[in-house]
Amino acid sequence: MVGQEPYTGNGEHPIVCILRVVLLGPMGIGKTTAIRSLCGDLMVDCDVPNMDPSSAAKENTTVGADFGIVDLDDGEQLHIYGSPGQDRFDFVRGWLLSMAIGVIVMVDANEANAVRTAEQYLQTVYSVSEDMPCMLLLARPVSADVSNRFASQLTTALGIAVPMITADVRERSQMLDALDIFSSLLAAI
């Protein structure tokens, strides 16, 4: 999608290509942390105190769409949106997905129900857009055995393979590597 920078006064409006990517995943998986790693304090978060600590042991939870911008080469910008993980905010997910060029689904492959969780989020994506241009699965760091087993089980459950990488969302360099891989997938479209 194309946006415009503010009018500069010289009669020209430089065009900036804006790519929108949505991070999906359960509450507490690290969507806000991932955006903060990439954008620092230049992000907008929609965190409020967590009133349901039994569902996730965390102090705050997202109730809207977290947002950050990563400047790419040639005047392109990657707008990253973090979707709330709680099902009661699934209408926000639908809205975010409707404007996205791609989705990064975040999972913890160590969890017993990780395949089902990933499958549910991928089905959410397909329910909004059957032809989402680009998807990537971003898993918390796990052993090679766990990663391979998870990828195999998910492929069997879905009937298709979804590209998957692991990264620690707290580490900016790992998140930049993940975005680099994601942008390569976008370029292949």
Side-chain angles (χ1 to χ4, degrees), residues 16-75:
V16 175
C17 182
I18 299 174
L19 306 172
R20 292 182 177 99
V21 174
V22 175
L23 303 180
L24 290 182
M27 181 177 171
I29 195 69
K31 298 174 297 287
T32 301
T33 302
I35 296 172
R36 189 168 285 116
S37 291
L38 290 165
C39 305
D41 291 333
L42 300 176
M43 71 162 289
V44 176
D45 71 48
C46 296
D47 283 358
V48 299
N50 181 12
M51 302 307 277
D52 184 16
S54 64
S55 65
K58 58 185 276 185
E59 191 174 314
N60 295 309
T61 187
T62 301
V63 296
D66 294 336
F67 174 71
I69 297 174
V70 176
D71 288 318
L72 305 172
D73 296 332
D74 301 325

Side-chain angles (χ1 to χ4, degrees), residues 71-130:
D71 288 318
L72 305 172
D73 296 332
D74 301 325
E76 290 183 329
Q77 290 183 337
L78 180 64
H79 287 196
I80 304 173
Y81 296 86
S83 174
Q86 299 171 53
D87 288 339
R88 63 186 169 149
F89 298 114
D90 61 353
F91 66 94
V92 176
R93 285 185 211 135
W95 171 71
L96 291 171
L97 290 170
S98 72
M99 63 179 185
I101 191 167
V103 178
I104 298 175
V105 176
M106 300 173 65
V107 295
D108 184 347
N110 283 313
E111 290 189 3
N113 60 349
V115 170
R116 182 67 188 133
T117 299
E119 190 177 14
Q120 288 173 330
Y121 280 101
L122 292 169
Q123 287 173 351
T124 297
V125 173
Y126 290 131
S127 72
V128 173
S129 173
E130 290 182 14

Side-chain angles (χ1 to χ4, degrees), residues 132-155:
M132 179 60 67
C134 188
M135 283 194 291
L136 178 70
L137 210 55
L138 179 67
R140 287 184 173 165
V142 292
S143 70
D145 286 345
V146 170
S147 178
N148 291 335
R149 184 173 45 252
F150 172 77
S152 176
Q153 290 172 347
L154 185 62
T155 299

